Amino acid sequence: EAGVTQFPSHSVIEKGQTVTLRCDPISGHDNLYWYRRVMGKEIKFLLHFVKESKQDESGMPNNRFLAERTGGTYSTLKVQPAELEDSGVYFCASSPYRTGPTGETQYFGPGTRLLVL
Amino acid sequence: AQTVTQSQPEMSVQEAETVTLSCTYDTSESDYYLFWYKQPPSRQMILVIRQEAYKQQNATENRFSVNFQKAAKSFSLKISDSQLGDAAMYFCAYRSASGGSEKLVFGKGTKLTVNP
């Protein structure tokens, strides 16, 4: 079974440019999460999809970040325009859908390393 | 809001020895889940072990075990018979079981080095 995949693995862009990150969850996983780790700090939650719906987007830092999950399969996270402080590692995770608070394990992708110059 | 603290930025252990990584958390909730994730160099993060707060028995997975002290809000990870492949960043994480957010709240991580 293929794991969570993310593309690209690395991205270097200049301030003001746009970058789009992609995440393909494990097949059949309805839950999809985005997290970010800024250098030296904690991994922080960004948002959570259940299928194509945004369940929780409380961690999105500002309106320069736009996440989509059309069709409930893969997801994209677009940063426009990118700022220096957006540099970090962006992780995607997925889990099966279960009703109720099951504490279902979240399976992580390898991350996308974003550097904004 | 919940917070997770890992007070050891780096730890080292000799191969075959035992090491304990510390994690404390702060929450007002009574029901939650705790996790230890491992991220080897240039590889993706994988779950090492998980603990349900309502369970008094400490979770174990082969050479990995936890010491869960609910009253003290402590959740340490013990690695026995350390192997070179255990070298990685280890992250402690918390997740509410209240049915609201499913997000994981992470600590800053502990970098574990295993010396041959």
Side-chain angles (χ1 to χ4, degrees), chain A residues 30-48:
Chain A
D30 288 337
N31 290 303
L32 188 149
Y33 310 83
W34 283 98
Y35 293 86
R36 174 174 76 170
R37 186 183 187 206
V38 172
M39 181 68 72
K41 297 196 173 182
E42 299 89 343
I43 300 169
K44 295 274 194 182
F45 167 81
L46 295 178
L47 87 159
H48 168 210

Side-chain angles (χ1 to χ4, degrees), chain A residues 33 35 56 101 103 106 108, chain B residues 33 37 44 50 101-102 104:
Chain A
Y33 310 83
Y35 293 86
D56 180 358
Q106 295 181 20
F108 280 78
Chain B
Y33 304 92
Y37 278 89
Q44 59 202 85
R50 56 176 280 162
S101 176
E102 295 185 16
L104 293 171

Side-chain angles (χ1 to χ4, degrees), chain B residues 19-20 30 33 36 43-44 50 60-62 68 70-71 79 94 99-100 104 111-112:
Chain B
V19 65
T20 298
S30 60
Y33 304 92
W36 277 99
R43 294 176 62 185
Q44 59 202 85
R50 56 176 280 162
T60 62
E61 287 288 341
N62 300 315
F68 173 48
K70 191 172 184 180
I79 306 173
Y94 170 104
L104 293 171
K111 181 180 179 181
L112 178 66

Side-chain angles (χ1 to χ4, degrees), chain B residues 52-116:
Chain B
E52 288 84 354
Y54 65 85
K55 290 185 177 179
Q56 293 187 334
Q57 187 172 6
N58 289 325
T60 62
E61 287 288 341
N62 300 315
R63 298 182 295 106
F64 299 86
S65 61
V66 298
N67 183 5
F68 173 48
Q69 301 289 329
K70 191 172 184 180
K73 296 179 183 176
S74 172
F75 183 60
S76 60
L77 174 70
K78 185 171 83 170
I79 306 173
S80 304
D81 186 25
S82 297
Q83 300 176 0
L84 295 178
D86 295 332
M89 280 292 289
Y90 286 80
F91 295 97
C92 179
Y94 170 104
R95 175 177 164 175
S96 171
S98 66
S101 176
E102 295 185 16
K103 67 181 181 183
L104 293 171
V105 178
F106 285 90
K108 287 187 177 182
T110 297
K111 181 180 179 181
L112 178 66
T113 300
V114 181
N115 300 308

Side-chain angles (χ1 to χ4, degrees), chain B residues 21-35:
Chain B
L21 308 185
S22 301
C23 173
T24 58
Y25 57 94
D26 188 26
T27 184
S28 59
E29 298 178 329
S30 60
D31 201 13
Y32 46 86
Y33 304 92
L34 296 165
F35 305 85

Side-chain angles (χ1 to χ4, degrees), chain A residues 23-32 49-54 68-76 94-95:
Chain A
C23 169
D24 286 77
I26 293 172
S27 178
H29 282 193
D30 288 337
N31 290 303
L32 188 149
F49 284 100
V50 177
K51 297 186 180 179
E52 67 275 8
S53 300
K54 292 177 184 175
E68 295 181 323
R69 193 183 181 194
T70 306
T73 54
Y74 70 91
S75 174
T76 58
S94 73
S95 70

